[in-house]
Amino acid sequence: MARDRRTAILEGAARVIARRGVRGLRVEELAAEAGVSTALIYYHFKDRAGILRHTLEFISDRADRYTADEECPDGPFAPHQELERSLLLEFQDLAEVRENSTAWGELRASAVFEPELRPDLARAGLTWVHEIAALLAQACPTAPAPTLTASAERLTALLEGLSTRWLTHTLTAPHARALMREAVAVEIGHLHRTWARDEESAVGAEA
């Protein structure tokens, strides 16, 4: 029961942040949203900073779930398709996805003015980069780790920017997905070219 209430609080926090922003988050409103007392919120999260940190972790975990749970009816995905799928599922026209993306963007923007959010945001971002780098490694297994990480950083940064434009209706979901697919193709091409160039250099050095 305690876990259910804690989850209800985090779900409520994500909704309130998506609706009113970080600055609009009030413990009293959160308590009403989650159907709990303010005392219970302070019991679980200590203070407002704790609420924000744990909400960031919650929406990051929730994004992992909705980008991993969908199954392919025609069998397993090829590596590059798995990478595309993981990124493109961030542009689903579903209330949970929109809420998650809005809350993530709001927390990220708020970290400019609230330094206490930065370490947790950095950790969540780094975890995401490593996950995308691992998917890139499946598509380009010979690429060196630093190059994979750089490609993952570019892709996740682009996705965050496209997500903001999609959420503000300055970019349609189909256009955002098309741009993301093109970026994935560019990055995979870059990784293959880098590997080929390194192989040629190695052969030249041996000769």
Side-chain angles (χ1 to χ4, degrees):
M1 182 63 71
R3 185 176 180 180
D4 290 344
R5 288 181 177 177
R6 189 177 188 278
T7 300
I9 294 168
L10 292 171
E11 290 173 343
R15 287 194 298 271
V16 172
I17 290 171
R19 186 169 65 237
R20 299 175 60 85
V22 169
R23 294 187 179 185
L25 180 66
R26 299 289 181 270
V27 175
E28 294 77 10
E29 182 180 355
L30 173 55
E33 184 78 24
V36 300
S37 67
T38 57
L40 187 64
I41 293 175
Y42 286 120
Y43 170 77
H44 282 294
F45 303 105
K46 309 302 181 188
D47 53 23
R48 184 174 179 276
I51 296 169
L52 295 177
R53 286 196 303 271
H54 286 283
T55 302
L56 178 62
E57 180 181 345
F58 171 78
I59 64 174
S60 180
D61 289 343
R62 190 165 65 174
D64 286 342
R65 289 196 299 274
Y66 67 64
T67 56
D69 287 347
E70 184 177 284
E71 295 182 358
C72 177
D74 301 320
F77 291 99
H80 76 279
Q81 291 174 321
E82 178 63 30
L83 172 63
E84 276 191 359
R85 185 194 70 90
S86 177
L87 296 168
L88 296 180
L89 285 175
E90 295 285 355
F91 298 107
Q92 298 178 82
D93 193 19
L94 300 173
E96 181 183 65
V97 177
R98 283 184 170 275
E99 178 184 285
N100 229 53
S101 297
T102 302
W104 173 270
E106 176 63 20
L107 286 160
R108 187 179 69 247
S110 295
V112 175
F113 307 102
E114 301 194 39
E116 64 272 15
L117 281 174
R118 295 174 190 172
D120 296 280
L121 186 69
R123 280 191 292 272
L126 188 60
T127 297
W128 190 22
V129 166
H130 286 166
E131 289 170 354
I132 298 303
L135 292 173
L136 283 164
Q138 293 177 25
C140 307
T142 55
T147 307
L148 291 168
T149 299
S151 286
E153 288 176 334
R154 287 190 290 270
L155 288 174
T156 53
L158 175 62
L159 193 148
E160 287 181 333
L162 291 176
S163 179
T164 298
R165 294 190 180 191
W166 167 58
L167 291 168
T168 55
H169 300 281
T170 56
L171 195 67
T172 65
H175 191 190
R177 293 189 193 104
L179 292 173
M180 204 71 241
R181 286 192 185 95
E182 290 173 11
V184 168
V186 168
E187 290 298 338
I188 290 178
H190 167 70
L191 291 171
H192 283 307
R193 287 192 299 273
T194 299
W195 171 78
R197 187 169 60 248
D198 290 346
E199 283 291 293
E200 290 176 359
S201 298
V203 171
E206 291 176 359

